[in-house]
Every structure is written in C-alpha cells, then in structure tokens.
Amino acid sequence: MGRTVVELFYDVISPYSWLGFEVLCRYQHIWNIDLRFRPAFLSGIMQQTGNKPPAMLPKRGEYMLKDLKRMAKYYQVPVQTSRHDFQRIISTSTLATMRFLTAIDVTNPQYLEPLSREFWLRFWSQHEDISQPEDILAVARQAGLSSELSQKILEMTSTPAVKDRLKETTAEAVKHGAFGMPAVVAHYNGEPHLFFGCDRLELLGSIIGEKWLGPVPS
C-alpha cells in the first residue's frame, strides 16, 4: 500500500503551525505517510479569504494566549507567550522569510525542516525578529547553512521564480479550503482532506487509518 501524502501549509509567524509541524515530524516515521512541508504566506491567505487575526476580538485574544501556553506544554514545544505577542505579530511581515524558505525548498530541501524550526525558535522562544535580512541570515547560520549558501538564497528571494512559487503555494492552500494556518491536507482515497489547526491530527489519523499515540509518541 502506498504512503499517504500529507501536506503541511504553514507560515513561521503562526505558533499553532509550529505545534502541528513538530507533531507531524514525530509521526512521519510512525505513520505510513509522505510528509511534505509547504511554506506559504499567512497574510496572503487571510487577505484572499477575508479572514481576520484572532486577536481582533479581544476576548478571543486573551483566550488564545492561555490556550497557547497549555498547548505548548501538552505538545512539548517551547512556545513562550507574552502579552506583547499580538503587537509583535501585527508589526512583523514574514514575506521575505517565507520567500527564503521557499527558495530553500526549491534548491536545498534538506534544510527546510531545521530552518523552519529555527525561525519558530527565534520568534516564539527567543522573541527576536525574523523579518530583516540580518535576522534571516542569523537563523540560516543557526540551521547549519554556510554563509555562501545563505547569501545566495537571500538573493534568490527577490527573483520572480521564488516570488511566484510562494504565491502559487499560498493559492494552492486556499484552493484546498484553507482560511488560516496550519492547514494540513491529506491526499487519501483519491481526494484531498483538509484539517485546520494543530488539534485535528488525531482526526487525521482516523481518516487515513493510522493510530493516534498522543502528541509525543514513544
């Protein structure tokens, strides 16, 4: 029986995407799946679907901070929340960041997983910026990329090919029905199944015939 293709559409500005990313990384060698990381642009998805950030509703924003703290502990992912997080999100554009990840996906996909993780760690654990060229290069070094490769990839982010690739991936997520992130799409029995959020992975397993062993399977 072939492996089920599972796509994770994500943006490193999204903490829930980090939770889903880590859990799927843990399951990719347990479940019979072909996990594919699909860096996309969350702001583009929000704009195309008319969605709004959760913090636009104050009570929802208050709940989200508490929820993230509980979820981070349960999923064993070092998300560190603070009352300044929503302002940080609003004032940070990840367009250049996601183009950098897109360029890596095209040229050196073996770095995509560790590089994505380092971006999340920098923004959500260390509370540092990830949007400026010097920040992007610092994260790339932390992920093990050479200075030469990092600079080459950074230069690629301004090319039409990389810009178009990110637009296409974002549009593909919307076509599957995504309105936020993470968006997980399982291609099973000849059709795509969309799961929104990091807390639907147990349901994902049920649909594709795999056993859920908790967020940290032994």
Side-chain angles (χ1 to χ4, degrees):
M1 183 177 178
R3 298 170 73 82
T4 299
V5 173
V6 174
E7 298 179 288
L8 172 65
F9 294 88
Y10 67 95
D11 186 318
V12 291
I13 199 73
S14 163
Y16 289 106
S17 289
W18 189 12
L19 300 179
F21 170 90
E22 295 296 358
V23 175
L24 285 172
C25 283
R26 295 165 189 164
Y27 272 89
Q28 65 179 326
H29 302 301
I30 297 174
W31 286 353
N32 187 34
I33 62 174
D34 177 7
L35 178 60
R36 300 181 184 178
F37 302 118
R38 304 297 307 280
F41 187 43
L42 179 56
S43 291
I45 288 179
M46 302 286 268
Q47 185 176 26
Q48 291 179 46
T49 61
N51 197 1
K52 301 292 183 183
M56 296 294 287
L57 184 64
K59 283 296 181 183
R60 186 178 178 188
E62 291 175 16
Y63 174 80
M64 181 178 167
L65 286 178
K66 296 175 183 177
D67 183 56
L68 267 175
K69 187 175 182 179
R70 292 183 300 206
M71 294 281 278
K73 182 177 180 181
Y74 179 62
Y75 281 68
Q76 296 185 28
V77 177
V79 177
Q80 303 291 331
T81 59
S82 77
R83 59 189 178 88
H84 304 295
D85 284 340
F86 295 126
Q87 185 57 46
R88 291 173 64 235
I89 292 173
I90 291 170
S91 62
T92 300
S93 171
T94 55
L95 184 58
T97 312
M98 299 315 296
R99 284 175 177 168
F100 192 87
L101 285 169
T102 297
I104 278 290
D105 188 27
V106 171
T107 61
N108 295 268
Q110 72 273 19
Y111 287 115
L112 187 56
E113 179 182 332
L115 184 61
S116 299
R117 183 175 290 112
E118 289 297 336
F119 276 117
W120 273 305
L121 281 166
R122 184 176 175 89
F123 192 82
W124 284 104
S125 291
Q126 301 161 6
H127 292 174
E128 296 182 33
D129 195 13
I130 57 172
S131 63
Q132 300 305 309
E134 60 269 24
D135 303 310
I136 293 171
L137 291 175
V139 171
R141 287 195 301 271
Q142 195 67 29
L145 279 72
S146 68
S147 298
E148 293 77 12
L149 177 58
S150 299
Q151 190 60 46
K152 177 184 175 182
I153 297 299
L154 187 63
E155 292 169 2
M156 287 182 62
T157 61
S158 61
T159 64
V162 169
K163 291 179 179 179
D164 290 346
R165 172 69 175 263
L166 180 59
K167 288 178 183 177
E168 290 164 4
T169 304
T170 302
E172 188 177 339
V174 172
K175 183 179 178 181
H176 283 309
F179 50 88
M181 288 184 175
V184 181
V185 179
H187 298 268
Y188 187 72
N189 278 347
E191 62 178 303
H193 300 260
L194 172 70
F195 302 86
F196 171 66
C198 64
D199 56 350
R200 294 294 184 269
L201 302 180
E202 181 175 1
L203 181 58
L204 163 65
S206 175
I207 294 295
I208 66 175
E210 296 287 351
K211 186 177 180 180
W212 174 251
L213 304 171
V216 189
S218 57

